[in-house]
Amino acid sequence: MVVNHSLIYNVKIIALLPILELVYLLSMARPVFHLHPKARRELSDLGMRICYARKRRSLTRKALAGRAGISEYTLRRVESGEIGVTIGAYVAVLYALGLAGDLAAVAEADPLGRDLQDAALAPRPRRSVGGEGSGKAKTPQTPPPSQDTATSEPPRPEDDDALPGISSTQMLAYLCRQKK
């Protein structure tokens, strides 16, 4: 009897394919990100607060997971504050617990961001373009408002022909003086 060894070898390989695929998937490099220790503690504290909220409502993990539309395993990871859980799972659990209103306060007040934005939007002094003989035209400078117009009262909006006679610079100067 002649045995075809290549056929036996192919059958063994086919039987091992699911195992080889699993080993390959488990050995694939996963992206690793590092979370600041303080942020990790805060995430852990959030998970603990979610766990306490569930217990105060006398809900089982199975019941809360069902309400949130996630698995019990994911809920357990949320309650332990694991960093690999999607933010959607945290939000779903918070909504199921009735604590979603707290999400509105996240990053609402951003004083550092506002300061950075204001600094970026602050008017910068203009540099003059070119010199006398550079061939480039200088940007025209607006003359300062005359003293008689700057100290006088601005025209009232009900005067139709009065507004065109005053420049925006003069109006701004008047308004700044009024604030002081």
Side-chain angles (χ1 to χ4, degrees):
M1 178 178 199
V2 177
V3 177
N4 187 349
H5 292 287
S6 64
L7 181 62
I8 294 173
Y9 180 72
N10 287 341
V11 169
K12 287 182 183 178
I13 294 288
I14 291 173
L16 290 176
L17 277 178
I19 296 170
L20 291 174
E21 285 178 12
L22 182 62
V23 169
Y24 173 73
L25 290 175
L26 292 177
S27 67
M28 285 177 52
R30 293 191 176 117
V32 177
F33 61 95
H34 300 282
L35 199 57
H36 191 275
K38 184 178 179 186
R40 190 180 292 268
R41 269 192 313 275
E42 289 177 356
L43 195 57
S44 178
D45 291 345
L46 173 64
M48 193 178 350
R49 289 191 304 271
I50 287 173
C51 181
Y52 290 152
R54 175 183 61 83
K55 289 178 180 179
R56 281 191 295 269
R57 288 161 176 74
S58 301
L59 292 171
T60 63
R61 277 196 180 124
K62 185 175 186 176
L64 181 57
R67 287 183 185 183
I70 59 174
S71 68
E72 286 181 66
Y73 173 71
T74 303
L75 178 59
R76 196 168 33 255
R77 292 178 65 206
V78 165
E79 288 182 348
S80 65
E82 289 188 23
I83 62 173
V85 181
T86 66
I87 193 166
Y90 282 96
V91 171
V93 171
L94 289 171
Y95 265 95
L97 289 171
L99 299 173
D102 296 342
L103 291 176
V106 175
E108 184 177 19
D110 184 14
L112 175 63
R114 296 218 185 251
D115 290 345
L116 291 172
Q117 182 183 26
D118 292 345
L121 295 177
R124 296 183 207 141
R126 292 186 176 205
R127 289 184 274 162
S128 62
V129 182
E132 289 291 325
S134 67
K136 294 183 180 178
K138 288 187 177 184
T139 56
Q141 297 289 329
T142 57
S146 64
Q147 288 294 352
D148 60 332
T149 311
T151 56
S152 66
E153 203 172 311
R156 290 183 172 60
E158 57 268 3
D159 299 336
D160 292 333
D161 58 341
L163 282 176
I166 190 168
S167 71
S168 60
T169 307
Q170 293 168 336
M171 180 62 85
L172 183 60
Y174 174 78
L175 292 174
C176 287
R177 279 194 311 281
Q178 291 299 317
K179 282 189 175 182
K180 292 179 184 177

